[in-house]
Amino acid sequence: MGEERSLHFLEEIVEADLASGKHPSIHTRFPPEPNGYLHIGHAKSICLNFGMADKYGGKTNLRFDDTNPVTEETEYVESIKADVRWLGFDWEEEHYASDYFDQLYAFALTLIKKGLAYVDDLSAEEIAATKGTPTEPGKASPFRDRSIEENLSLFTAMKEGKYDDGEKVLRAKIDLASPNMHMRDPIMYRIKKTHHHRTGDKWCIYPMYDFAHGQSDSIENITHSICTLEFEVHKPLYNWYIEQLEIFPSQQFEFARLNLTYTVMSKRKLLQLVNEGFVDGWDDPRMPTISGLRRRGYTPASIRNFCDRIGIQRRENIIDVGLLEFFVREDLNKTALRRMVVLDPIKLIIHNYPAGQTEILKGENNPEMEDNGGYRDLHFGRELWIESEDFMEEAAKKWFRLAPGMKVRLKSAYIVECTGFQKDETGKVTEVHCNYIPESKSGSDTSGINVKGTIHWISVDKAEEAEVRLYDRLFQVENPSQEEGDFKTYINPHSLEIISAAKIEPALKDAKQGEHFQFIRKGYFSLDDKLSTGGKMVFNRTVTLKDTWTKEVKKG
Ligand code: ATP
Ligand code: MG
């Protein structure tokens, strides 16, 4: 569907820039801060940056925006690289903003020498308090007019560790009356005597985001620096630094971030869910992280198709998570192997099937594939497991499954007619009784009988067991971040259901990590790569089969 859509506004800009010769080719970057795992929102940015470079024959860098030593860790760097690769992208160059610390320091000296930066002794609080309001100019710091020599020697002393955290900052000297608060002498450097995940203890001053980002873009000759809308107000400052330093004129463009229903999308909030034990790590299958979606059974193609479909806009909105589910269903429908699994078993006994007799039937692996994806053996016998929800003691209106006197087809096998059932002392149904119709075998049915219902089953003799995990939305409300109070009060307490001993057909014993299955009538599943160890199999449900989106998407 990618070919059919019209150009989005960033593609129009790029095409115009290429046509006018402003840039001979484009160079984008994806600039995560390594302070958490990537989420589906980042996937939108990744698909956009790498996608445009691919489309127009350009290049994309992966740059870690690691200027804040307090929150950043190498574990995050590794996970980010793995996630970008898994999504199907490869970067031209790998960079770290921290590799530019020397260059950025030199840039700061340049601005001081031009009389465009000064060391301020005010505290962060005092600076904030004297910044004014959008309608009222800020007040000059008493240190604003320090001489260039004094600023050079104080800034050097800051770098050499002569001062403590918060004692001094370096500020750009721009315009205290600017209607844009970011232009009111923004802080360029602050003192943080903290170990950095790459530079160790070499530095005790660290550049602010605004003083690092544009210059890093410029050092890498990035032509189109694409970020989310909240950075629009930073753009005049982004341009100011580049102009004053007379370096490569990278340009910033903004698009709307992705928001999804029934989840949260900020790393800070996701970190709280991890740290406070609401989920089992960043890659918990309920998390909107790339690693969580992967573990849940999402495919890279489904995420890329989703990102392509939602498009790139200038206005923020919230996307229904059902759309993401639509794309993974669409992908898995074509590739997943069909298997039968009974989650809540009761026994079906076929009275007219001789005890001790068994036969091997054929089950299609995937009717959507050529040759139906081949066939697997289905072991059939007198006793089968069926879902307890496929039986009713008394058929309700429009009930087309099992109930006394009713007929159903056993998937890929025979038609059976229910003759009765048995209950235990507590009133629970323990056995369902039936007769089968020998001439109704799937593929060679001469019975002439039509039934409305088909149910799945597994032979009791050959059934194996596995744990199956069913997931629901992590939050009970559409937009937890916009509700009153702590977003965590809206967590869905029933977001995980564990079925410890589901009956699985023997073919599933060969399931491998990364394979996708459709458990007939139950949804799409894959093995959990963390929990399936030592012979134990744990299947995660990626998504149910129900699909309410096809129509909407086709309309779309
Ligand atoms: P968060 O608020 O989740 O921590 P962030 O913007 O601080 O996200 P970064 O690591 O700085 O995270 O983001 C890297 C890139 O991904 C940036 O260009 C950012 O604009 C983009 N990005 C982050 N979140 C989203 C989102 N929800 N939708 C689209 N792009 C996003
Ligand atoms: Mg950020």
Side-chain angles (χ1 to χ4, degrees), residues 236-468:
L237 182 55
Y238 180 103
N239 292 337
W240 189 87
Y241 285 132
I242 285 179
E243 279 158 26
Q244 300 307 325
L245 291 166
E246 300 174 55
I247 52 181
F248 181 84
S250 296
Q251 253 186 300
Q252 177 185 301
F253 301 91
E254 309 84 20
F255 72 102
R257 61 196 297 122
L258 167 65
N259 302 298
L260 255 198
T261 55
Y262 298 101
T263 192
V264 292
M265 202 85 92
S266 103
K267 282 180 278 184
R268 192 177 50 81
K269 287 186 177 139
L270 296 174
L271 183 62
Q272 285 181 49
L273 296 177
V274 172
N275 285 345
E276 295 171 36
F278 289 101
V279 294
D280 160 37
W282 284 96
D283 63 351
D284 185 297
R286 292 165 293 181
M287 292 279 270
T289 50
I290 307 290
S291 49
L293 290 166
R294 174 170 61 228
R295 192 170 156 199
R296 175 93 170 238
Y298 273 73
T299 57
S302 66
I303 296 175
R304 289 195 307 262
N305 291 343
F306 167 76
C307 289
D308 192 47
R309 165 60 208 259
I310 57 175
I312 302 298
Q313 292 85 21
R314 285 276 310 165
R315 194 172 315 144
E316 278 215 23
N317 61 354
I318 181 161
I319 305 283
D320 193 317
V321 67
L323 187 64
L324 180 61
E325 293 172 349
F326 165 85
F327 280 102
V328 75
R329 266 187 209 109
E330 188 195 50
D331 193 23
L332 294 181
N333 182 40
K334 291 178 283 187
T335 57
L337 303 175
R338 275 47 171 173
R339 295 290 182 260
M340 295 202 269
V341 171
V342 175
L343 300 180
D344 181 20
I346 49 168
K347 212 176 252 185
L348 179 72
I349 299 176
I350 308 172
H351 285 279
N352 64 343
Y353 198 90
Q357 180 176 319
T358 60
E359 65 187 295
I360 292 187
L361 304 170
K362 292 286 167 202
E364 299 175 321
N365 280 324
N366 184 338
E368 303 290 317
M369 291 180 182
E370 254 178 66
D371 301 337
N372 301 323
Y375 291 81
R376 69 198 191 278
D377 288 349
L378 296 172
H379 300 263
F380 192 80
R382 177 183 168 91
E383 295 196 354
L384 308 176
W385 294 116
I386 61 166
E387 283 310 333
S388 71
E389 64 176 23
D390 284 336
F391 172 75
M392 278 185 97
E393 293 178 37
E394 246 177 275
K397 253 196 204 146
K398 296 202 172 167
W399 176 255
F400 300 119
R401 291 176 261 166
L402 280 175
M406 293 202 61
K407 296 190 188 76
V408 294
R409 171 167 298 281
L410 299 174
K411 175 82 182 163
S412 306
Y414 298 94
I415 293 172
V416 292
E417 176 170 10
C418 180
T419 54
F421 59 92
Q422 193 158 348
K423 286 182 174 183
D424 65 14
E425 324 72 66
T426 67
K428 191 173 169 281
V429 176
T430 52
E431 283 175 8
V432 177
H433 299 234
C434 69
N435 284 318
Y436 86 118
I437 296 161
E439 57 275 22
S440 67
K441 187 165 161 181
S442 289
S444 56
D445 182 357
T446 57
S447 70
I449 300 169
N450 272 324
V451 291
K452 284 204 168 128
T454 299
I455 65 171
H456 60 282
W457 54 273
I458 298 172
S459 104
V460 168
D461 272 357
K462 296 287 179 181
E464 303 270 356
E465 287 189 350
E467 182 175 307
V468 171

Side-chain angles (χ1 to χ4, degrees), residues 12 17 21 27 45 85 132 141 159 196 251-252 260 289 331 361 372 462 471 506:
E12 282 173 358
D17 288 350
H27 201 161
S45 173
R85 283 209 185 92
S141 159
K159 179 191 179 221
H196 185 279
Q251 253 186 300
Q252 177 185 301
L260 255 198
T289 50
D331 193 23
L361 304 170
N372 301 323
K462 296 287 179 181
Y471 299 99

